[in-house]
Amino acid sequence: MLSKFAVGRPTTIVMMTLVLLLLGIISFLNIPVDLFPEIEIPVLIVLSEYEGVSPTEIEKLVTRPLEGAAAAVEGLVDLQSISSEGRS
């Protein structure tokens, strides 16, 4: 019976589908999101470039002094560094 109605009145079926889709979109946009609390992850990223310098020189000249300065930050839990050619 439903298939006979759908074949006989395709415009009605399309309009009903559009109304349901519109109601779904409106409902989705108005639902509050309580399961995802607002959080801020405290992260500090320092990127420095020194063109044409080897990784060992970058570590000695740039990375270690930056690590020393960053280690003075109060509440620091973890400190990681990566030295590559021309970058720290």
Side-chain angles (χ1 to χ4, degrees):
M1 170 133 170
L2 180 61
S3 59
K4 192 176 194 179
F5 179 76
V7 170
R9 300 179 185 259
T11 306
T12 304
I13 298 299
V14 169
M15 294 305 288
M16 288 171 54
T17 303
L18 290 175
V19 166
L20 286 174
L21 183 65
L22 181 65
L23 287 173
I25 291 171
I26 290 171
S27 298
F28 179 76
L29 294 175
N30 290 326
I31 292 177
V33 181
D34 293 335
L35 298 176
F36 302 111
E38 301 241 354
I39 60 171
E40 292 182 22
I41 301 173
V43 175
L44 172 65
I45 298 174
V46 178
L47 175 64
S48 60
E49 295 187 11
Y50 194 172
E51 296 293 326
V53 181
S54 70
T56 54
E57 290 295 314
I58 282 284
E59 184 174 357
K60 185 171 69 173
L61 297 173
V62 179
T63 305
R64 286 188 187 158
L66 283 175
E67 283 179 345
V73 173
E74 187 177 324
L76 180 68
V77 177
D78 187 27
L79 178 64
Q80 298 178 7
S81 62
I82 299 172
S83 297
S84 60
E85 187 174 340
R87 289 191 178 168
S88 171

